[in-house]
Amino acid sequence: MDPDISLLGELGNTSIVGLQWGDEGKGKIVDLLTGQFDYAIRWNGGSNAGHSVKVGDKKYAFHLIPSGILRQNCVCVLANGVVIDPIALLSEMDQLAGQGVEIGANLRISSQAHVVLPYHKQQDQLSEDRLAAGKIGTTARGIGPCYSDKASRTGAVRMADLLDDRRLAEKLQRIVDEKNALFSALYNAPPLNWKDIFQQVRDCGEQLRPHVCNTTALLHQALEKNKRLLFEGANAVLLDLDHGTFPFVTSSNCGTGLAAGSGVPATRLNTVLGVVKAYCSRVGGGPFPTEQDNEIGRKIRDRGREFGTTTGRPRRCGWLDLVALRYAAKVCGVTGLCVMLLDVLATFDSLRICTAYEIDGKRTQWFEPDAVDLARAVPVYEELPGWHDSLDNLESAEDLPPQARRYLDRIESFVQVPVRVVSVGPARHQTLIIGTGVVAMR
Ligand code: GDP
Ligand code: IMO
Ligand code: MG
């Protein structure tokens, strides 16, 4: 049986945000909630995201399309802050159509969203390859180069340009010329032909034309009609361009940029649900204080099937870091926590949970996002008893083993935010709602 979401109380407009380094299970939470919402909105990132949703024995992988597309009455929006690879988007639409998911007028794409072009993906890869050390370990989906071109303004192409042959040709001719000079000088790469790129993406633009609109106007009209909005964050707070473990981050404000990325001000949000794994994982480079590059980490990876949805890379795994979690929850104003993959922690005799760092001999409970400083953080652990009972078939939070309940209580008391959803498996029914009442902040 699907969980009774009404136990969460009236959520109002809700933001779902990942509180670690991504892959916390945001897709599952969005899928559970979208039945109650009129709009599901992606507002940041691009096809670097990989959100998996399991419904019955079917598995869906979303990269650009909001996970709400599985619900018929939900309008799915790619707002202005998303960077859109039109080739990847069309291929995702095709794949979903092959799985029986209908995508028609219910998908809306902002004319102001920036376009990821083939040269962005190439630049992403070339730039990573050129780094001898300190590689970010990007998903090579062109995200960083596209957001850089957005900030440069003169190098940018937006969805509206894709729908206007003259504008597109003028821009591509000039930009590809610049890219060729850069690629040849820096990477000794062969030149690209702007006309080939023009043809390829112009045709994509034609196919996407019916979906493109002014999504800021659309969302404000929805607000005026008291429609319910669900914002699906991609990536996660510790990958936020400003507040994450810089420079090992992505190129959007994935924890804090909802208003800029959607045109909907933060004052219109009622609930912010933070999604967190019962442990930590990270893909790509960068510091990770509680990483267990040993038998423990391997056990977590095997039990949690921790391999990337987008790139298939094995994820680095380790103990839950409450210092990082409390920071992340503060930075994005979380009003309720969804603790995911708790089932994975079964069969450990004891569990560790990080409650402070020692940096240069000084103890601190404040997260240090600078990657160089964080690399010197030595975690201080509390030890909690583990449990051996499988959680896969639990139907009620009341049936959680006392050790699991104690683990959740410790999270709640440290972060000072209530745990309201506990996930014990990928399926919809493997979800426990804790307590009743409201999680909304206003
Ligand atoms: P997202 O990027 O935050 O949406 O997360 P991903 O989809 O990349 O990764 C989460 C993975 O964990 C997916 O394969 C989910 O199907 C799976 N998953 C979600 N919740 C649970 C859970 O409670 N237990 C287990 N074992 N798997 C889960
Ligand atoms: P979801 O939405 C996990 C990581 C990459 C890399 C860094 C920069 O599925 O949680 P990028 O390609 O964005 O320039 O890569 O950020 N990264 C993610 N890791 N889940 C994600 O998204 C991620 N999006 C980006 O692995 O370390
Ligand atoms: Mg993911």
Side-chain angles (χ1 to χ4, degrees):
M1 212 170 63
D2 286 358
D4 182 3
I5 296 300
S6 69
L7 293 174
L8 292 174
E10 178 53 48
L11 295 172
N13 298 321
T14 298
S15 157
I16 305 296
V17 58
L19 295 180
Q20 295 161 315
W21 284 286
D23 306 324
E24 296 89 352
K26 299 176 288 293
K28 170 171 170 169
I29 295 296
V30 170
D31 169 66
L32 280 175
L33 295 181
T34 37
Q36 317 271 317
F37 286 84
D38 303 301
Y39 287 75
I41 304 132
R42 274 280 305 270
W43 51 270
N44 80 293
S47 52
N48 53 351
H51 297 179
S52 321
V53 173
K54 196 170 174 220
V55 184
D57 48 17
K58 280 196 173 172
K59 225 180 159 181
Y60 303 89
F62 300 104
H63 299 285
L64 276 161
I65 295 179
S67 308
I69 201 81
L70 298 177
R71 311 275 186 175
Q72 276 190 344
N73 297 327
C74 193
V75 178
C76 287
V77 178
L78 297 180
N80 60 284
V82 180
V83 286
I84 298 175
D85 175 345
I87 302 168
L89 176 56
L90 286 164
S91 124
E92 187 172 335
M93 288 164 74
D94 272 357
Q95 185 154 355
L96 287 168
Q99 290 183 284
V101 181
E102 255 179 64
I103 301 174
N106 58 339
L107 177 68
R108 305 297 181 85
I109 303 171
S110 169
S111 53
Q112 289 162 239
H114 285 249
V115 181
V116 176
L117 288 149
Y119 51 75
H120 288 131
K121 288 180 272 187
Q122 194 180 353
Q123 190 173 354
D124 200 350
Q125 192 64 61
L126 288 168
S127 140
E128 280 279 279
D129 290 348
R130 191 163 185 266
L131 286 168
K135 289 185 199 295
I136 293 171
T138 72
T139 59
R141 297 300 188 267
I143 307 300
C146 182
Y147 277 119
S148 302
D149 282 346
K150 172 178 176 175
S152 85
R153 294 150 295 158
T154 51
V157 175
R158 308 212 292 186
M159 284 304 294
D161 301 318
L162 217 54
L163 307 183
D164 180 327
D165 282 359
R166 203 179 50 80
R167 252 157 81 174
L168 183 65
E170 182 278 315
K171 286 202 166 194
L172 282 180
Q173 206 166 348
R174 180 175 48 75
I175 296 168
V176 171
D177 194 41
E178 276 177 25
K179 293 284 178 196
N180 279 340
L182 178 78
F183 288 8
S184 140
L186 267 184
Y187 313 117
N188 202 20
L192 304 165
N193 183 331
W194 75 267
K195 283 187 184 151
D196 294 343
I197 299 173
F198 172 84
Q199 209 48 56
Q200 198 180 13
V201 296
R202 181 213 171 267
D203 291 348
C204 294
E206 267 326 298
Q207 291 179 65
L208 294 172
R209 185 185 289 278
H211 302 280
V212 178
C213 66
N214 179 338
T215 58
T216 310
L218 180 77
L219 294 176
H220 279 272
Q221 283 151 11
L223 286 168
E224 275 163 25
K225 291 186 202 142
N226 287 325
K227 299 284 183 195
R228 287 159 304 178
L229 274 44
L230 182 73
F231 294 87
E232 176 172 358
N235 329 124
V237 182
L238 302 181
L239 293 170
D240 185 288
L241 181 58
D242 281 83
H243 301 285
T245 52
F246 194 86
F248 299 97
V249 293
T250 188
S251 302
S252 69
N253 283 117
C254 35
T256 54
L258 188 149
S262 67
V264 175
T267 47
R268 299 308 301 262
L269 276 186
N270 304 98
T271 302
V272 181
L273 289 178
V275 188
V276 52
K277 283 183 188 186
Y279 48 90
C280 284
S281 75
R282 175 163 206 170
V283 222
F288 176 0
T290 60
E291 180 171 15
Q292 298 297 303
D293 189 11
N294 53 31
E295 243 350 279
I296 295 167
R298 275 191 288 281
K299 179 170 168 179
I300 295 176
R301 183 184 307 131
D302 289 348
R303 289 185 55 81
R305 296 193 184 82
E306 290 291 356
F307 297 89
T309 309
T310 299
T311 57
R313 290 179 290 179
R315 297 176 184 146
R316 300 154 64 192
C317 294
W319 297 121
L320 183 61
D321 184 340
L322 289 184
V323 176
L325 178 60
R326 180 162 65 185
Y327 163 81
K330 277 185 194 298
V331 166
C332 59
V334 164
T335 59
L337 292 172
C338 307
V339 177
M340 314 300 286
L341 295 111
L342 189 65
D343 52 304
V344 173
L345 291 185
T347 79
F348 282 94
D349 289 335
S350 65
L351 300 166
R352 294 183 129 198
I353 199 160
C354 169
T355 52
Y357 299 149
E358 299 254 353
I359 303 182
D360 302 332
K362 273 205 190 139
R363 192 168 283 215
T364 175
Q365 288 198 315
W366 184 254
F367 185 69
E368 179 45 73
D370 180 86
V372 176
D373 293 334
L374 187 62
R376 300 200 308 281
V378 180
V380 178
Y381 288 112
E382 274 179 26
E383 194 125 350
L384 293 172
W387 60 91
H388 286 264
D389 328 50
S390 158
L391 306 186
D392 303 8
N393 296 313
L394 283 196
E395 285 182 4
S396 150
E398 252 99 81
D399 301 330
L400 281 166
Q403 300 92 325
R405 187 63 244 196
R406 192 168 152 196
Y407 190 78
L408 296 171
D409 287 346
R410 187 65 188 114
I411 297 175
E412 198 168 273
S413 69
F414 192 94
V415 183
Q416 291 285 296
V417 175
V419 174
R420 297 302 311 279
V421 178
V422 177
S423 175
V424 292
R428 281 179 179 167
H429 72 271
Q430 293 173 302
T431 315
L432 316 172
I433 310 291
I434 299 202
T436 52
V438 287
V439 77
M441 58 182 161
R442 54 179 170 237

